[in-house]
Amino acid sequence: MNELIKLNEVNIGDETVQTVNARDLHAFLGSKRQFSDWIKAKLERLRLVENKDFITISQSCEKPLGGRPTLEYFITLDTAKHIAMMENTDRG
């Protein structure tokens, strides 16, 4: 089976679960909104709980002009399905 979005295994709580990177989902769905605004709105609307429905990881990467580290969101597959359906698009 072809993967639409790369799956990752991460520890959430006391178990290892399959997740997707929310940035990959955002790109796949073709959202025109800025990622940080998009993910915050989805997390709030669905009332998702950190360390249950998703985890965040701060990525310190070299940026030519400095700036804040990138915050990556790894969301469970169930959460990703809900977010995709909320987009109300063919890809969702």
Side-chain angles (χ1 to χ4, degrees):
M1 181 174 134
N2 294 338
E3 276 186 0
L4 298 175
I5 300 174
K6 182 183 174 203
L7 298 178
N8 304 286
E9 288 192 352
V10 298
N11 291 327
I12 297 181
D14 294 335
E15 60 184 306
T16 301
V17 296
Q18 287 189 323
T19 63
V20 297
N21 185 315
R23 286 182 193 278
D24 294 343
L25 180 61
H26 177 260
F28 174 80
L29 294 172
S31 177
K32 303 292 184 212
R33 292 183 69 188
Q34 180 180 0
F35 173 74
S36 61
D37 295 334
W38 178 84
I39 191 64
K40 288 174 187 172
K42 301 299 181 194
L43 297 177
E44 183 178 317
R45 182 156 183 222
L46 287 172
R47 297 181 182 160
L48 300 174
V49 178
E50 189 166 6
N51 295 319
K52 179 182 175 213
D53 302 307
F54 69 96
I55 62 166
T56 57
I57 299 174
S58 178
Q59 298 285 330
S60 297
C61 56
E62 292 184 25
K63 296 186 179 188
L65 300 175
R68 290 184 256 169
T70 302
L71 194 58
E72 297 295 338
Y73 294 80
F74 289 92
I75 56 178
T76 64
L77 295 183
D78 193 43
T79 298
K81 288 181 214 176
H82 286 296
I83 289 174
M85 288 187 291
M86 283 176 57
E87 283 295 298
N88 202 23
T89 64
D90 290 341
R91 289 210 118 179

